[in-house]
């Protein structure tokens, strides 16, 4: 490595691929000064899209944290139940499936002419379903290894002291899992706020109603309003950074618990 | 091939790891670098190997200055503390590695590897992966791998450090026999004084990056150069203001000239030897190491009044008070 | 006991509702008009071209990111240097960026009209945005983290002892890399490469911004599938989704094989 061109090549690649294009967004967002940036971000349609994105993402993250923990528990602690193998095989699917396919898949069953009689296409519920679909693996796969590595000793100790299974889970197991649950929530949230493919097919993209931030940015690019698109991109990034920082602060406060277990 | 290190020094950031260390290992002999963990002995070994670059000083192998030579050109064999097995290769492939990259003829490689696996008693394990070998077997595989390239010197970093006590003892004896067979100049790092005394021709005691003493095991034990060497190489206790070996003290029920009176406070049986702790009448503590049946003959019990005499004991106070810094 | 059955019912219901039923439904719908009819909606000149384009750009981006990923993982694992955390942050950045934003970033830097260096490149006859290079760049951008993230922990866990051991046995830097380091990280690397490939083949948002979506020229396969929807031809979309889905199932299977092989040596 010493004196070899490796580091220089890697730095060039990283700059041309990531660093400079991102810098171009920052620069474009403030093309017309801070005032222009603020005007773009506070446009009513943009604000509605940002609000919708954040609220639906938080809902999805909350739902998937609960469901993901339950599923991880089934996969780790209830392995002898054969049907759980099916769950294990299905859980990774959203991760490997292209987002467009996710959109097509959801639309085919929960859209117009649904064979199961559920039609949520082009509603806000559709956004929640699509985001829950694409972020499910993050919740499950973050918790699963931690739960598997967790000693059952402490749980047995709690049980020996007379705790019910539910109390044991709530007071002993859950605190040890919380950091991992938050990690999964963070990954899921980051993915959800930027999601485009699955949502754009399934939600209908109606301004003020079902238009999420990524779709809004795409619309602005399509209509050649690049400064506005850059401003919204930056705003979206800042918002997700703030939420992720909150998650990681919370996680850090919980870490002593994790180290203890 | 002899090894000669002169005024070696090495710092990592602001912490000094090795300071002004010099010694010589005669060709064909086995030298142990002995000292407490974190005392810099591994760093000395890694500098001999070329895995660490000294800040100052020189390393000579067979008279040749190799201080600036990379590890691969020094003609050394190195065994890592955790063996550093190539996990994706079988034991056979591990041992053959050095020969393969030298493009030796296939028949020669096969013959040499077979011979080495035989030497380290792993002939039946040639096709096993390291994960399928026990700790002791991995250690022997690493040794065979290092010996395969016919190194000028063999360097072993805590070779038995990660093994349990029983295996350690077996391997120790085996290593000594191996050394007599192969007769390659060897330097071994250990924090276990018993291991160093049993295996090595010479011991270099290193503490806090500095060399405390170099000598044969007997020299170091009987003529320690400092209080540290005295206490590190074997048990020591104080009596009457003197530093003595507790096995040199005598215990009796009758008074003897020069003996000190005291009360037995604790008796600890450690199989062959027994440790008797005594509070002397002047209030100071000491202890006596008794071998075999000596205890039974005395029929000691707790609280017994005894006399501790040091007529056959050597007083090490002179070295003990000498400055060790 | 009752609570356990309730939990099982919940887990099974949730995953079934969200993943199981929809996947079964799309397979059923795609094949409902018959297999050959499904295949014909993909086997058009536009469809084949889109598939080729996606595979070609993926191949280039995977090679680039593999070289980059292994190199950066080696540097991060073996050297301490100021700015290491910045490099790690930049490498991970694509994970927290919307694909649409990735497309926008590339446009603002490379577009001939709006980009920082686009004009300079156009003057030299190089078009990036709405052309093949843009598709490659978008592919590389969104899949940048995966090789590094898979290889780095393996390298850290591996340590440097076996590399040093090979050195003491006479191996030079190239021999050490190809005979010790690379074989030791091969399963982690394979896993990373598979994730990279899966991510690229499925990319849609960034492509929508930079590819131009010109049928038979710059339309990627995901765009081809979504175009069926925009053109109110769901049957074609189901068939296309099935093809993409089968590719990802294949990658998923390869991933699980890779994972179990990798565990054998540790």
């Amino acid at each position: 490595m010493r004196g070899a061109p490796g580091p220089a090549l890697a730095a060039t690649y990283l700059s041309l691929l990531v660093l400079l294009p991102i810098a171009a967004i920052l620069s474009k967002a403030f093309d017309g000064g801070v005032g222009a940036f603020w005007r773009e971000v506070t446009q009513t349609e943009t604000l509605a899209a940002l609000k919708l994105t954040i609220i639906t993402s938080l809902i999805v993250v909350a739902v998937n944290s609960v469901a993901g923990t339950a599923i991880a528990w089934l996969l780790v602690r209830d392995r002898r139940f054969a049907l759980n193998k099916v769950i294990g095989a299905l859980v990774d699917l959203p991760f490997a499936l292209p987002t467009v396919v996710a959109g097509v898949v959801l639309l085919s069953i929960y859209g117009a002419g649904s064979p199961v009689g559920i039609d949520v296409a082009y509603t806000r519920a559709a956004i929640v379903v699509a985001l829950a679909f694409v972020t499910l693996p993050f919740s499950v796969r973050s918790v699963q290894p931690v739960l598997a590595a967790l000693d059952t000793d402490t749980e047995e100790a709690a049980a020996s002291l007379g705790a019910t299974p539910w109390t044991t889970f709530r007071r002993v197991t859950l605190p040890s899992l919380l950091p991992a649950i938050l990690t999964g929530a963070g990954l899921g949230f980051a993915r959800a706020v930027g999601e485009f493919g699955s949502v754009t097919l399934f939600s209908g993209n109606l301004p003020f109603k079902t238009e999420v931030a990524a779709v809004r940015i795409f619309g602005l690019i399509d209509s050649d309003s690049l400064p506005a698109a850059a401003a919204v991109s930056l705003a979206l990034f800042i918002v997700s950074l703030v939420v992720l920082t909150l998650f990681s602060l919370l996680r850090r406060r919980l870490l002593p618990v994790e180290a203890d277990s | 091939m002899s090894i000669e290190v002169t005024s070696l020094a090495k710092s990592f950031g602001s912490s000094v790891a090795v300071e002004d260390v010099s010694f010589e290992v005669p060709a064909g002999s086995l030298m142990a670098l002995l000292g407490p963990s974190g005392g810099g002995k591994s760093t000395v070994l890694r500098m001999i190997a070329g895995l660490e670059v000294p800040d100052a000083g020189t390393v000579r192998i067979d008279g040749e200055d190799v201080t600036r030579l990379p590890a691969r050109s020094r003609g050394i064999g190195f065994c890592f503390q955790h063996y550093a097995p190539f996990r994706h290769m079988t034991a056979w492939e591990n041992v053959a590695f050095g020969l393969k990259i030298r493009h030796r003829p296939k028949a020669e490689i096969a013959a040499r590897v077979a011979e080495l696996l035989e030497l380290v008693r792993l002939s039946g394990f040639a096709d096993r992966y390291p994960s399928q070998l026990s700790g002791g077997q991995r250690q022997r595989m690493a040794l065979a791998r290092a010996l395969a390239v016919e190194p000028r010197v063999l360097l072993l970093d805590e070779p038995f450090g990660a093994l349990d006590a029983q295996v350690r003892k077996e391997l120790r004896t085996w290593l000594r026999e191996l050394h007599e067979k192969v007769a390659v100049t060897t330097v071994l790092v250990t924090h276990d004084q018993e291991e160093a005394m049993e295996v090595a021709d010479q011991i270099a005691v290193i503490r806090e990056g500095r060399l405390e003493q170099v000598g044969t095991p007997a020299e170091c034990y009987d003529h320690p150069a400092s209080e540290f060497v005295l206490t590190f190489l074997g048990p020591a206790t104080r009596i009457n203001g003197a530093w003595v070996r507790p096995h040199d003290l005598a215990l009796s029920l009758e008074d003897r000239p020069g003996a000190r009176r005291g009360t037995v406070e604790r008796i600890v049986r450690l199989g062959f030897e027994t440790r008797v702790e005594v509070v002397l009448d002047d209030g100071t503590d000491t202890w006596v190491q008794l071998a075999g049946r000596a205890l039974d003959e005395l029929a000691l019990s707790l609280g017994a009044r005894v006399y501790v005499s040091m007529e056959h004991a050597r007083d090490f106070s002179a070295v003990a008070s000498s400055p060790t810094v | 006991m009752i609570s356990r059955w309730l939990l099982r019912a919940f887990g099974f219901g949730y995953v079934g509702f969200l993943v199981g039923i929809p996947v079964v439904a799309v397979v059923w719908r795609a094949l409902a008009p018959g297999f050959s009819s499904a295949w014909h909606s993909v086997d058009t000149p536009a469809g084949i071209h889109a598939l080729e384009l996606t595979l070609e750009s993926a191949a280039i981006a995977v090679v680039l990111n593999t070289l980059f990923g292994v190199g950066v993982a080696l540097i991060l694992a073996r050297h301490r240097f100021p700015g290491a955390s910045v490099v790690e942050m930049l490498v991970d950045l694509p994970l927290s960026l919307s694909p649409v934003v990735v497309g926008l970033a590339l446009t603002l830097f490379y577009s001939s009209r709006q980009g920082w260096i686009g004009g300079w490149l156009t003057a030299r006859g190089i078009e990036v945005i709405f052309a093949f290079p843009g598709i490659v760049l978008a592919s590389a951008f969104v899949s940048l983290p995966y090789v590094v993230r898979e290889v780095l922990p393996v390298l850290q866990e591996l340590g440097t002892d076996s590399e040093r051991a090979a050195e003491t046995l006479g191996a030079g830097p190239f021999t050490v890399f190809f005979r010790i380091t690379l074989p030791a990280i091969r399963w982690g690397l394979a896993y990373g490469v598979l994730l990279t490939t899966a991510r690229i083949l499925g990319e849609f948002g960034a492509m929508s911004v930079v590819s131009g979506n010109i049928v038979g020229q710059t339309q990627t396969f995901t765009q081809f599938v979504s175009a069926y929807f925009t053109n109110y031809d769901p049957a074609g979309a189901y068939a296309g989704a099935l093809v993409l889905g089968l590719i990802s199932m294949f990658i998923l299977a390869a991933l699980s094989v890779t994972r179990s092989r990798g565990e054998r040596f540790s």
Side-chain angles (χ1 to χ4, degrees):
Chain A
M1 223 128 295
R2 283 127 288 205
L9 274 176
T12 310
Y13 185 71
L14 198 56
S15 303
L16 286 176
L17 193 62
V18 179
L19 191 58
L20 292 169
I22 294 297
I25 286 194
L26 286 180
S27 143
K28 197 62 156 189
F30 292 108
D31 238 7
V34 179
F37 168 77
W38 192 245
R39 262 197 310 284
E40 295 298 355
V41 173
T42 50
Q43 268 189 31
T44 50
E45 188 180 341
T46 300
L47 266 188
L50 284 172
K51 208 172 122 194
L52 176 69
T53 306
I54 293 160
I55 292 175
T56 47
S57 298
L58 286 176
I59 293 174
V60 164
V61 157
V63 172
N64 267 354
S65 293
V66 175
T69 306
I71 293 164
W73 192 91
L74 289 174
L75 293 180
V76 174
R77 294 288 170 83
D78 194 26
R79 244 176 306 185
R80 268 175 299 176
F81 187 57
L83 273 181
N84 286 337
K85 286 210 172 58
V86 180
I87 297 184
L90 286 176
V91 156
D92 276 332
L93 211 55
F95 186 75
L97 228 46
T99 53
V100 173
V101 177
V104 170
V105 159
L106 291 173
L107 204 52
S108 76
I109 184 93
Y110 302 125
S114 159
V116 290
I118 305 173
D119 180 5
V120 293
Y122 314 137
T123 67
R124 287 181 173 172
I127 301 172
V128 172
V129 173
L131 295 183
F133 179 91
V134 296
T135 62
L136 180 66
F138 295 109
S139 307
V140 179
R141 297 299 182 203
S142 297
V143 176
Q144 196 184 354
V146 178
L147 186 60
L150 207 63
D151 261 335
T152 48
D153 288 7
T154 47
E155 291 171 27
E156 281 163 7
S160 77
L161 294 169
T164 64
W166 170 241
T167 311
T168 305
F169 179 78
R170 202 164 41 91
R171 311 275 299 249
V172 177
T173 316
L174 192 60
S176 309
L177 293 182
L178 266 181
I181 294 174
L182 278 169
T183 303
L187 289 170
F189 184 82
R191 175 71 201 269
V193 290
E195 181 55 25
F196 177 72
S198 59
V199 177
T200 191
L201 286 181
F202 196 27
S203 78
N205 312 321
L206 304 169
F208 298 103
K209 189 166 173 260
T210 62
E211 185 186 49
V212 296
V215 174
R216 172 72 179 148
I217 295 168
F218 184 75
L220 288 169
I221 298 171
D222 224 21
S223 59
D224 217 13
S225 318
L226 294 189
V232 184
S233 298
L234 183 60
L236 181 67
F237 183 67
I238 291 171
V239 166
S240 75
L241 210 61
V242 167
V243 174
L244 288 178
T245 309
L246 286 178
F247 277 165
S248 95
L249 284 179
L250 200 57
R251 188 172 181 274
R252 203 161 302 165
R253 277 198 52 191
L254 292 168
L255 267 183
V257 177
E258 191 186 46
D260 220 38
S261 59
Chain B
M1 314 284 158
S2 65
I3 302 171
E4 196 186 334
V5 304
T6 319
S7 311
L8 276 188
K10 177 77 182 176
S11 301
F12 296 104
S14 58
S15 72
V16 179
V18 174
E19 210 178 346
D20 194 24
V21 167
S22 309
F23 59 79
E24 201 188 329
V25 188
S29 71
L30 200 162
M31 159 84 86
L33 305 183
L34 175 68
S37 305
K41 48 195 193 313
S42 283
T43 309
V44 172
L45 192 78
R46 292 173 71 88
M47 286 193 281
I48 299 175
L51 296 171
E52 247 19 292
V53 183
D55 298 338
T58 54
V59 177
R60 289 171 187 280
I61 296 177
D62 197 22
E64 177 201 354
D65 186 344
V66 297
T67 318
R68 300 283 141 211
L69 230 49
R72 66 172 182 278
S73 317
R74 291 193 183 191
I76 51 147
F78 195 100
C79 280
F80 290 77
Q81 191 173 352
H82 300 287
Y83 327 130
F86 303 143
R87 281 186 271 184
H88 59 285
M89 300 182 194
T90 61
W92 193 94
E93 291 167 326
N94 263 276
V95 178
F97 180 82
L99 299 168
K100 274 192 184 166
I101 61 171
R102 284 176 174 70
H103 306 291
R104 295 281 173 78
K106 274 197 175 138
E108 185 196 322
I109 295 178
R112 178 98 182 108
V113 174
E115 179 194 333
L116 279 160
L117 287 174
E118 175 79 42
L119 184 71
V120 300
R121 300 189 298 209
L122 283 177
S123 299
F125 299 87
D127 295 330
R128 298 262 186 109
Y129 284 94
S131 59
Q132 300 164 316
L133 296 175
S134 73
Q137 290 168 334
R138 272 184 233 179
Q139 173 58 51
R140 300 203 310 262
M141 180 193 84
L143 244 144
R145 184 176 73 182
L147 287 172
V149 295
E150 283 166 353
R152 297 197 284 178
V153 301
L154 185 61
L155 308 170
L156 312 172
D157 191 359
E158 294 275 6
F160 313 128
L163 302 171
D164 55 49
Q166 193 57 37
V167 184
R168 281 177 84 110
K169 285 204 168 153
E170 282 170 28
L171 276 182
R172 217 187 269 167
T173 318
W174 173 81
L175 178 68
R176 186 67 230 181
E177 289 166 14
L178 181 82
H179 180 71
E180 265 140 37
K181 251 186 262 176
V182 184
V184 56
T185 313
T186 303
V187 182
L188 166 153
V189 161
T190 179
H191 63 266
D192 180 338
Q193 41 83 23
E194 211 181 298
E195 190 170 293
M197 309 243 293
E198 183 177 333
V199 171
D201 299 311
Q202 287 212 82
I203 295 176
V205 184
I206 294 177
R207 178 177 70 139
E208 288 172 9
R210 289 176 157 273
L211 194 62
E212 294 266 330
Q213 185 170 11
V214 184
T216 64
E219 276 166 10
C220 292
Y221 193 85
D222 293 332
H223 305 283
S226 63
E227 182 180 326
F228 174 76
V229 177
L230 168 75
T231 53
F232 196 77
L233 279 195
T237 185
R238 301 192 81 127
I239 182 168
N240 223 2
W243 267 115
V244 296
R245 296 280 184 212
H247 52 71
D248 287 346
L249 293 175
L251 203 63
S252 61
L253 297 170
E254 301 91 44
D255 198 2
R256 290 198 207 168
R260 313 270 303 192
R261 205 159 75 141
T263 311
V264 174
E265 199 189 45
R266 211 160 101 89
I267 300 173
V268 186
R269 282 181 164 275
L270 298 163
F272 168 77
E273 60 162 312
T274 306
R275 181 188 163 108
V276 181
E277 295 178 14
V278 178
V279 184
L280 299 177
D281 287 357
D282 65 4
T284 57
D285 295 334
T286 192
W287 64 279
V288 181
Q289 199 173 17
L290 296 177
R293 294 262 171 74
L295 183 81
D296 300 340
E297 281 158 22
L298 286 168
L300 279 187
S301 57
L302 286 188
R305 301 289 285 166
V306 290
Y307 295 87
V308 183
S309 86
M310 46 182 291
E311 52 185 328
H312 302 295
R314 247 178 61 91
D315 179 7
F316 292 101
S317 320
V319 296
S321 57
S322 72
T324 58
V325 187
Chain C
M1 216 45 230
I2 290 174
S3 56
R4 175 168 293 217
W5 279 102
L6 276 175
L7 195 65
R8 285 172 179 169
F10 169 74
F12 207 69
Y14 193 77
V15 175
F17 161 77
L18 211 53
V19 187
I21 298 175
V23 167
V24 171
V26 87
V27 172
W28 176 68
R29 287 209 162 178
L31 296 179
F35 185 80
S36 70
S37 147
W39 176 243
H40 278 306
S41 39
V42 178
D43 185 21
T44 64
I48 297 300
H49 184 274
L51 195 57
E52 280 172 2
L53 175 66
T54 298
L55 292 177
E56 278 165 24
S57 54
I60 298 174
V62 165
V63 169
L64 286 175
N65 277 354
T66 303
L67 293 176
F68 171 82
V70 172
V72 165
L74 273 173
I75 296 172
L76 288 173
R78 302 286 187 248
H79 302 273
R80 285 191 184 178
F81 59 99
S85 58
V86 176
V87 172
E88 268 185 79
M89 195 205 76
L90 281 176
V91 168
D92 278 347
L93 195 62
L95 291 178
S96 45
L97 281 183
S98 173
V100 177
V101 176
V102 171
L104 176 64
L106 292 173
T107 303
L108 289 175
F109 190 66
Y110 287 106
S111 135
S112 59
R113 215 157 38 84
Q114 311 255 14
W116 282 7
I117 67 162
W120 186 85
L121 287 171
T122 306
R124 275 148 195 81
I126 305 169
E127 285 296 334
V128 176
I129 301 303
F130 302 148
F132 186 68
I135 296 170
V136 173
L137 282 175
S139 306
F141 193 133
V142 295
S143 64
L144 187 68
Y146 298 104
V147 170
V148 182
R149 286 168 68 93
E150 293 302 320
V151 171
L152 185 56
V154 181
L155 278 175
Q156 281 164 340
E157 199 265 333
L158 176 70
T160 54
D161 272 2
S162 54
E163 292 171 4
R164 294 291 84 77
E167 250 172 63
T168 65
L169 293 168
F174 280 94
T175 313
V176 170
F177 179 75
F178 284 105
R179 301 191 71 149
I180 305 297
T181 317
L182 197 57
I185 62 172
R186 60 186 165 183
W187 295 114
L189 181 60
Y191 203 79
V193 168
L194 284 170
L195 288 177
T196 306
T197 311
R199 183 71 177 85
I200 293 175
L201 294 183
E203 182 47 40
F204 177 67
M207 296 305 172
S208 304
V209 178
V210 303
S211 87
N213 201 4
I214 304 165
V215 179
Q217 285 180 43
T218 62
Q219 188 181 52
T220 66
F221 197 69
T222 48
Q223 290 176 315
F224 171 77
V225 173
S226 105
Y228 267 119
F229 250 103
T230 330
N231 301 333
Y232 301 102
D233 179 0
Y238 295 144
L242 188 63
V243 171
L244 269 175
L246 285 176
I247 296 175
S248 18
M249 299 278 237
F250 177 75
I251 293 178
L252 209 57
L255 281 173
S256 96
V257 170
T258 310
R259 185 154 41 192
S260 56
R261 292 298 292 272
E263 277 158 9
R264 236 185 70 201
F265 292 100
S266 45

